[in-house]
Amino acid sequence: MSFSFNTKNELCRQLTEGRCCAIAECYGVLLFCNTFTSREIRIVTGNRNIGERLMVLFGLAFPASFDLLPEPDKRGKQSYIITDAAKLSRIFETFGVSPESLLAHHVNLGVLEEDCCRRSFVRGAFLAGGALTDPQKSYHLELVTDHFNVSRETYSLLLEMGFSPKETSRSGNYIIYFKQSAAIEDFLTLIGAPIHAMELMSAKIEKDMRNSVNRKVNCDTANVSKTVDASVAQIKAIKLIEGAGELEGLPDKLRLTALLRVENPEMSIKELAEISTPPVTKSCLNHRLRRLVEISEGL
């Protein structure tokens, strides 16, 4: 099962705080579902737990039952449908809307006066039109609806609730989305999925640690590579000086440094400086090695 699927399963275990919250959650579901018109409600989902929650919510909120339910053994996408005119009229009236005069859906904030109802509304929107990427891959949560006004007004509602989402459109749908892991964690916690919010947080910590280790390894590898390249160049210069018969004629400090480098090709300049007799600074030893390279270039 996907991370998004499992998150919705956690939300389906969330208890409803009262009838007003059941109405608000149903409102979110309907404004972000497949079909919500004066002739038909059609909610399509591949998650049986969502379907079972919807039957409880609709019974508590309106009350109303679905006219057509999926077969018990049906797999894949399942449709929950209401076509009864009386039920549809009652549902619209609950949201303060006249189906006869409806031209385009809007979010009636009068239904969402309490903070608990706003949380429930957003939870319903996510259950019907939400998707969440596996945090091991990337951070992305979105709410998708085909109603422009609903998208804009839900966006404004989220701003009032302290979030800073982004908006876009795709294939005739309107999308509200989050890309920041912290915002997604807060969103999931708000709507009643703290376990998956913690999983997302853990995945982020693990990913950050892995990236930190990789950066350190890459840095260490680069440093080792630089040390090896420098050592090879220095030894090559010393061999050239020796081959020209000039090594014995060098000042004692340069000659001893040359011998020290040849005997310890794997050591860094800092390590060579520490084992020098007498010990010298890293800067001093580096200067001597550069001088050896310059001498070899003049031969």
Side-chain angles (χ1 to χ4, degrees):
M1 298 299 179
S2 68
F3 189 80
S4 184
F5 188 95
N6 291 332
T7 301
K8 291 183 179 183
N9 281 342
E10 182 184 356
L11 291 175
C12 288
R13 297 192 292 270
Q14 179 75 18
L15 296 176
T16 303
E17 298 181 49
R19 182 170 180 262
C20 64
C21 292
I23 291 172
E25 188 167 335
C26 288
Y27 200 21
V29 168
L30 291 169
L31 291 177
F32 283 79
C33 75
N34 300 79
T35 305
F36 180 32
T37 69
S38 58
R39 293 186 299 276
E40 180 187 47
I41 288 173
R42 181 184 296 268
I43 305 167
V44 180
T45 177
N47 190 326
R48 279 275 180 184
N49 291 324
I50 294 177
E52 292 175 5
R53 183 174 180 83
L54 289 175
M55 288 188 281
V56 173
L57 287 173
F58 272 63
L60 177 61
F62 303 117
S65 59
F66 288 95
D67 297 326
L68 183 61
L69 294 170
E71 298 175 4
D73 57 349
K74 179 175 170 51
R75 299 189 175 213
K77 295 292 185 181
Q78 303 147 14
S79 296
Y80 296 79
I81 301 171
I82 296 177
T83 54
D84 181 84
K87 293 179 184 178
L88 291 168
S89 179
R90 187 159 65 250
I91 290 170
F92 274 93
E93 288 173 2
T94 302
F95 299 134
V97 179
S98 170
E100 293 79 15
S101 60
L102 180 67
L103 297 177
H105 281 294
H106 287 268
V107 178
N108 181 2
L109 295 179
V111 181
L112 311 175
E113 292 183 350
E114 303 296 331
D115 289 342
C116 59
C117 294
R118 294 187 173 201
R119 288 195 300 270
S120 298
F121 172 81
V122 177
R123 179 167 57 246
F126 180 76
L127 286 173
L132 179 60
T133 303
D134 187 336
Q136 296 290 350
K137 299 176 182 177
S138 63
Y139 307 120
H140 183 86
L141 182 149
E142 64 181 29
L143 302 173
V144 183
T145 179
D146 58 0
H147 307 299
F148 173 76
N149 295 322
V150 170
S151 182
R152 290 294 301 153
E153 290 154 6
T154 303
Y155 174 85
S156 298
L157 181 64
L158 287 169
L159 289 178
E160 291 179 13
M161 296 169 75
F163 293 97
S164 299
K166 297 181 185 287
E167 293 180 292
T168 188
S169 59
R170 182 174 64 232
S171 303
N173 291 318
Y174 304 97
I175 301 162
I176 303 167
Y177 67 95
F178 298 91
K179 283 287 189 184
Q180 300 297 323
S181 61
I184 297 173
E185 291 163 16
D186 291 343
F187 182 90
L188 293 179
T189 302
L190 176 83
I191 64 175
I195 294 174
H196 282 78
M198 287 297 296
E199 286 187 20
L200 191 148
M201 189 182 302
S202 297
K204 182 178 185 299
I205 292 171
E206 181 182 340
K207 190 183 296 184
D208 289 345
M209 289 180 62
R210 190 183 301 117
N211 290 338
S212 178
V213 170
N214 287 339
R215 282 194 298 270
K216 189 176 186 309
V217 169
N218 291 337
C219 182
D220 290 345
T221 301
N223 288 338
V224 170
S225 180
K226 286 172 63 178
T227 298
V228 170
D229 290 345
S231 177
V232 168
Q234 292 155 5
I235 292 173
K236 182 179 178 181
I238 293 166
K239 292 294 184 182
L240 183 61
I241 295 171
E242 184 180 25
E246 299 290 336
L247 186 60
E248 294 300 324
L250 292 175
D252 288 346
K253 292 180 180 180
L254 286 181
R255 182 170 54 80
L256 291 173
T257 297
L259 294 174
L260 193 66
R261 166 48 86 197
V262 172
E263 291 170 1
N264 302 279
E266 78 288 350
M267 284 190 176
S268 66
I269 293 176
K270 180 182 178 182
E271 292 168 332
L272 283 176
E274 290 172 352
I275 66 169
S276 296
T277 307
V280 296
T281 64
K282 176 182 174 182
S283 176
C284 177
L285 191 73
N286 192 37
H287 174 74
R288 292 179 186 179
L289 290 169
R290 282 205 307 269
R291 180 65 186 136
L292 288 168
V293 172
E294 290 171 358
I295 292 171
S296 72
E297 290 173 348
L299 295 176

